[in-house]
Amino acid sequence: MWAGGVWRAALSGGPRGRRAQSALAQLRGILEAELEGIHGAGTWKSERVITSRQGPRIHVDGVSGGILNFCANNYLGLSSHPEVIQAGLQALEEFGAGLSSVRFICGTQSIHKNLEAKLARFHQREDAILYASCFDANAGLFEALLTPEDAVLSDELNHASIIDGIRLCKAHKYRYRHLDMADLEAKLQEAQKHRLRLVATDGAFSMDGDIAPLQEICHLASQYGALVFVDECHATGFLGPTGRGTDELLGVMDQVTIINSTLGKALGGAAGGYTTGPGPLVSLLRQRARPYLFSNSLPPAVVGCASKALDLLMESNAIVQSMAAKTQRFRSKMQAAGFTISGANHPICPVMLGDARLASCMADDMLKRGIFVIGFSYPVVPKGKARIRVQISAVHSEEDIDRCVEAFVEVGRLHGALP
C-alpha cells in the first residue's frame, strides 16, 4: 500500500510525489556530473562488441574483416578449444543448465567435487573449494579466516578483489610498498604482537606484468612466523615448468599456505574461481565464506569446460613451453622500436604511455589496423601511468606478433609516442 501510495501521490503531484521526483532529479544530476567528469578526463571505458568466439582472431561489431586479439586472458588458447567445448556440451547434457541452489542445500554435483579434487592435486594441496569467481574467493577468504586478533600484510598493488576482501575482515591491516621486502620485514616486525600474520600478494601483477619475489616473501614469513597467501589468477596454467604458477616457477610450492586462482583465464576462460590449501581451512570456508554460502553453484557446463582444460594442461606442458618464446619475441621487438614495456618475462606486456587520452586514442587506431587492444587508465591504474596492456597467447603465431608490433610502431609515430 505504501508503494502504491507513493505512486498515486506522484501521479497526482502531491507532496510525497514531488519529494520523490526531486530526489530522483538530484540523483540524475549527481550521476550525470560524475559521468561527464569521466568523459572529460579521457578515462571513459567503452565496450566493443565481439560477434565471434574468443580466440586469437575475432570479429568485432562495426569493424569489417577479422581482428587479431591481443588483450584477452586466454593465455593457453583454450577458451574455444574443441575438446573444451565438447566437454561443456557433455556436462550440459548430462547435468543440466544449472543447480538453482547454493552448494550446501542441493547444489553439489559429482562434477563439482571431482573438479575440486583435481585442482587440489594440480596445486599439490590438501583440498579445494569452488566459487563463482576468484573475486568471490578473495571476498570469502579473509573474513572467514582472520579475526581482530590477527594481522594481514598486503602488497600495495594487489588486485582490487584482494583489497576488497581484506576490507571485509576485522584483522589489523598493514600495507607494504610494492615488492619492497625491507618494508614488508618492517611491517612483519610491527605485526609480531598479533596471533596470526598472513602475507597476501598477487603472484603476477596484472597491470604491470611483474612477479612477486616469493622466495624472499616466504623466507621472511618463516623468519617471522607468518603464513603466505598468493593470488595466482595471472599465473595458473602457464607459469612454472608445468604451469602450476609462480610458486612452482620460484620453487616455493611447499612454503605457500593458501592459493586463490581462477578458471576464467588460462583454464578455459569461462568463469569460476577457487581456494586451495590446508584441508581444515577449506572445511571452514564451506561453513563460513559468505560468497560460497550465498551464491549459486557453478553451472555444469562451466565445470565441464574447466575440468577438460585442466586435463589438457596436465597431459602435456608443450603449450606452456611455447609461451616464453612468443612473449620474448614481442617484448624485444617493441623495446627495439623504442617503446617502454613494463614487467619482465610475463605474457602481460604493458606498453607504457602515461597519458590516458593517448592510450585510448592509440588503442582505437590499432583497431582500425586490425589489432584489438585496450587502453588502461585511472582508476584501473594510477594517474599518470596509463598504458595499453598487450597479452600474448599460446595460439598467437609469430606472424601475428610481428603484425601487432608493426601496427604499434605505425600508430606510435602517428601520435608522437615514437620519434
Side-chain angles (χ1 to χ4, degrees):
M1 291 299 295
W2 185 85
V6 170
W7 179 245
R8 285 195 299 274
L11 289 175
S12 63
R16 189 183 300 175
R18 286 194 293 273
R19 285 196 298 272
Q21 290 173 342
S22 175
L24 178 58
Q26 181 186 22
L27 172 63
R28 286 185 181 277
I30 292 170
L31 295 176
E32 287 168 2
E34 188 72 19
L35 295 173
E36 185 177 338
I38 296 172
H39 274 292
T43 57
W44 184 266
K45 298 163 189 63
S46 300
E47 296 181 0
R48 299 169 179 171
V49 178
I50 297 172
T51 58
S52 63
R53 292 178 176 181
Q54 184 63 277
R57 293 166 185 80
I58 57 176
H59 292 278
V60 178
D61 187 36
V63 181
S64 60
I67 303 294
L68 284 176
N69 187 4
F70 275 90
C71 62
N73 295 316
N74 186 25
Y75 293 111
L76 299 179
L78 298 179
S79 295
S80 298
H81 191 287
E83 290 186 52
V84 172
I85 292 173
Q86 186 57 42
L89 291 171
Q90 183 177 339
L92 182 67
E93 179 67 29
E94 184 174 352
F95 292 97
L99 276 299
S100 304
S101 173
V102 300
R103 287 284 298 271
F104 81 93
I105 298 179
C106 58
T108 298
Q109 293 174 316
S110 56
I111 51 173
H112 295 95
K113 299 302 291 184
N114 291 342
L115 178 56
E116 287 170 336
K118 190 179 294 185
L119 287 165
R121 288 196 304 272
F122 177 72
H123 287 285
Q124 299 177 20
R125 263 63 181 189
E126 294 176 10
D127 202 355
I129 177 174
L130 290 170
Y131 290 88
S133 68
C134 192
F135 204 112
D136 277 354
N138 285 336
L141 174 68
F142 302 100
E143 184 182 23
L145 174 61
L146 302 175
T147 74
E149 299 178 66
D150 305 317
V152 57
L153 304 95
S154 177
D155 188 293
E156 65 179 350
L157 293 189
N158 275 340
H159 190 268
S161 61
I162 301 175
I163 294 169
D164 286 0
I166 289 173
R167 284 173 176 165
L168 292 172
C169 78
K170 295 179 180 179
H172 295 263
K173 302 169 180 69
Y174 299 82
R175 186 173 65 173
Y176 64 93
R177 290 188 294 272
H178 182 50
L179 308 183
D180 188 329
M181 294 299 96
D183 194 38
L184 173 58
E185 182 169 17
K187 298 296 193 301
L188 280 167
Q189 290 170 347
E190 188 179 346
Q192 286 301 291
K193 56 184 175 287
H194 304 298
R195 184 187 66 163
L196 292 178
R197 290 158 297 283
L198 178 67
V199 180
T201 182
D202 277 310
F205 291 83
S206 61
M207 287 298 110
D208 292 294
D210 47 6
I211 295 173
L214 290 186
Q215 291 175 336
E216 292 86 346
I217 289 173
C218 290
H219 174 74
L220 287 172
S222 176
Q223 183 178 347
Y224 291 98
L227 306 169
V228 177
F229 158 86
V230 182
D231 181 309
E232 290 282 61
C233 286
H234 289 276
T236 297
F238 58 94
L239 286 189
T242 61
R244 263 65 177 176
T246 54
D247 61 340
E248 181 189 40
L249 177 71
L250 298 173
V252 292
M253 290 187 73
D254 60 339
Q255 299 174 57
V256 173
T257 314
I258 308 165
I259 286 176
N260 278 7
S261 195
T262 182
L263 307 174
K265 293 181 172 60
L267 299 183
Y274 58 91
T275 296
T276 185
L281 169 65
V282 171
S283 296
L284 180 68
L285 293 174
R286 294 191 195 280
Q287 303 302 313
R288 290 187 178 170
R290 293 168 69 84
Y292 180 83
L293 291 170
F294 297 102
S295 297
N296 267 17
S297 307
L298 270 183
V302 173
V303 176
C305 288
S307 186
K308 175 53 69 173
L310 202 56
D311 288 341
L312 293 172
L313 179 60
M314 290 192 290
E315 287 169 7
S316 170
N317 63 353
I319 304 178
V320 176
Q321 293 176 343
S322 75
M323 293 289 292
K326 293 177 180 180
T327 296
Q328 181 58 31
R329 185 181 187 89
F330 178 82
R331 283 181 172 271
S332 62
K333 284 179 174 285
M334 287 290 284
Q335 289 167 340
F339 285 105
T340 298
I341 311 298
S342 180
N345 303 321
H346 192 284
I348 292 174
C349 304
V351 183
M352 304 303 294
L353 299 168
D355 183 73
R357 198 178 302 277
L358 173 63
S360 178
C361 291
M362 282 186 60
D364 289 342
D365 281 347
M366 290 287 287
L367 184 61
K368 295 174 184 176
R369 289 159 176 79
I371 307 294
F372 193 123
V373 289
I374 295 292
F376 285 76
S377 56
Y378 181 82
V380 179
V381 296
K383 289 181 179 179
K385 294 190 176 181
R387 78 282 308 266
I388 293 175
R389 187 180 73 175
V390 174
Q391 289 169 275
I392 305 301
S393 172
V395 289
H396 283 134
S397 68
E398 291 185 352
E399 291 75 16
D400 294 339
I401 292 169
D402 292 348
R403 182 178 161 197
C404 181
V405 172
E406 290 166 6
F408 260 112
V409 171
E410 183 180 342
V411 171
R413 288 174 178 160
L414 177 67
H415 288 274
L418 289 179

